Amino acid sequence: MNILLWHMHAAWTSSLVQGKHRYLIPVTPDRGPFGRGRARTYDWPDTVEERTPAQLADDDIDVVIAQSPEEVELATRWIGRRVGRDIPLVYVEHNTPKGAVPDSRHPMADRDDVVVAHVTHFNAAFWDTGATRCTVIEHGIQTPVPRWTGELDRIGVAINEPVRRWRTTGTDLLPRFAAVAPVDVFGIDAAALPERLGLPGEAVVGHDDPPQAAMHAAMARRRLYLHPHRWTSLGLSLLEAMAMGMPAVVFATTDAIAAVPPQAGVLSTNLDELVDGARWLVEDASAAARVGRKAAEAVRARYGVDRFLADWDRLLEEATCG
């Protein structure tokens, strides 16, 4: 199939484009949020092609995968056909709802021209989509090449825009863990974090958006992976760290409780228990290795990329045939 797909979440897209289709990625001169083109820090196959809005008007597109209401509008304008009517539309919901959560109304609610694909069962349960058809396709990841060694008594965490997103991503909690061991934060605008926290020395070090392969290599040397997020959808960085064999310390919120079995990490809503768990894993390397092996087994069993692609192929076939 020829699939129109925006580059919004590079890690998630990296798994999707491993499929057998042709993926058309919009690109604009400013490479803004709706025209980023191919990812520059991920290795995408040649089946991912950049297309300008003018080129898309002449392309033979089989299905549109949108990830925001703006993309639905842009697709109709750029393709010159009614998306959802003249061409099938699948809307991927990556995020947890915001605001008055139990009553959060989804932007695609009560529509008969779209299928909403949630990335977690938690999101599907918490979004109000009305009569719109919904499904859940859980994440699928490619196991990173580096394997966990845990040779550094340091804590690794991946947070994009940790200063702006602050409490949502649990950025404000990092000083508690920095008292246990130095914390390395990888992600977009992470370099601004140490100054904002005002901690002495190298208690928290920001690594500003390194290429995926470099981040994996650096993360694998840290003793444990910390997932302090309070209210975000299930992070692919957590699954990637677990797949490398990293033990995880995780807030038991949103869909993390499904991704991290008790033997695969320290999972709690009690911050004191999480800090104690981090201290245990830092001080006991053999325990960290044992927990990390269970983490890798759990991810392989539930979040394999082959299962993910098969689920997407079924949904795309249903959408286009229907």
Side-chain angles (χ1 to χ4, degrees):
M1 297 182 189
N2 293 329
I3 300 172
L4 172 57
L5 169 71
W6 274 261
H7 169 191
M8 175 180 285
H9 296 285
W12 178 85
T13 306
S14 293
S15 292
L16 185 68
V17 299
Q18 302 306 313
K20 58 188 178 183
H21 309 291
R22 179 172 172 246
Y23 305 89
L24 308 178
I25 307 292
V27 62
T28 55
D30 63 350
R31 291 189 176 266
F34 301 108
R36 291 191 177 111
R38 288 174 56 95
R40 296 178 174 180
T41 57
Y42 289 74
D43 185 17
W44 286 357
D46 293 338
T47 51
V48 181
E49 302 179 16
E50 292 185 344
R51 310 296 286 169
T52 67
Q55 290 172 323
L56 288 171
D58 297 324
D59 281 322
D60 182 18
I61 298 170
D62 295 302
V63 62
V64 173
I65 297 179
Q67 299 161 82
S68 71
E70 293 86 352
E71 291 175 1
V72 176
E73 297 173 6
L74 285 173
T76 296
R77 187 191 318 161
W78 290 350
I79 298 173
R81 284 178 282 168
R82 296 174 301 169
V83 174
R85 298 297 181 188
D86 302 329
I87 185 169
L89 171 63
V90 177
Y91 187 101
V92 181
E93 182 50 71
H94 292 280
N95 300 317
T96 49
K98 303 295 189 290
V101 172
D103 303 309
S104 296
R105 187 79 165 160
H106 196 274
M108 297 292 115
D110 288 326
R111 291 182 58 157
D112 62 1
D113 61 346
V114 60
V115 178
V116 174
H118 293 279
V119 299
T120 70
H121 290 279
F122 181 94
N123 289 358
F126 273 69
W127 275 109
D128 174 13
T129 51
T132 301
R133 182 193 166 201
C134 293
T135 189
V136 176
I137 298 183
E138 292 191 308
H139 289 307
I141 65 165
Q142 301 169 278
T143 302
V145 173
R147 304 302 298 163
W148 176 81
T149 62
E151 64 205 71
L152 301 179
D153 296 341
R154 302 176 70 90
I155 297 171
V157 57
I159 304 176
N160 283 328
E161 300 182 89
V163 173
R164 182 183 68 83
R165 299 168 72 197
W166 205 246
R167 284 185 58 84
T168 297
T169 54
T171 307
D172 60 301
L173 304 175
L174 295 181
R176 289 286 302 272
F177 294 92
V180 173
V183 177
D184 291 293
V185 182
F186 301 85
I188 298 171
D189 294 337
L193 182 57
E195 181 179 356
R196 175 65 174 81
L197 289 172
L199 296 177
E202 293 193 352
V204 175
V205 179
H207 304 267
D208 205 354
D209 199 23
Q212 185 189 43
M215 183 185 74
H216 287 160
M219 193 73 78
R221 301 180 64 205
R222 272 65 188 170
R223 180 62 53 81
L224 65 97
Y225 184 84
L226 173 65
H227 191 71
H229 300 64
R230 284 188 176 93
W231 189 250
T232 66
S233 196
L234 183 60
L236 284 172
S237 56
L238 167 63
L239 300 181
E240 290 167 350
M242 292 173 63
M244 292 190 293
M246 291 189 77
V249 173
V250 185
F251 247 131
T253 56
T254 63
D255 221 49
I257 57 172
V260 188
Q263 68 273 19
V266 179
L267 190 71
S268 178
T269 55
N270 184 324
L271 181 59
D272 291 335
E273 290 181 0
L274 294 178
V275 172
D276 288 344
R279 183 175 294 107
W280 166 55
L281 293 170
V282 167
E283 294 177 352
D284 191 339
S286 62
R290 182 176 66 252
V291 173
R293 286 193 295 271
K294 293 296 184 181
E297 292 172 5
V299 168
R300 284 197 297 268
R302 183 162 186 163
Y303 299 102
V305 71
D306 290 340
R307 188 274 309 156
F308 173 78
L309 292 173
D311 288 350
W312 266 103
D313 280 347
R314 280 192 292 270
L315 179 57
L316 293 171
E317 185 176 352
E318 291 171 8
T320 53
C321 290

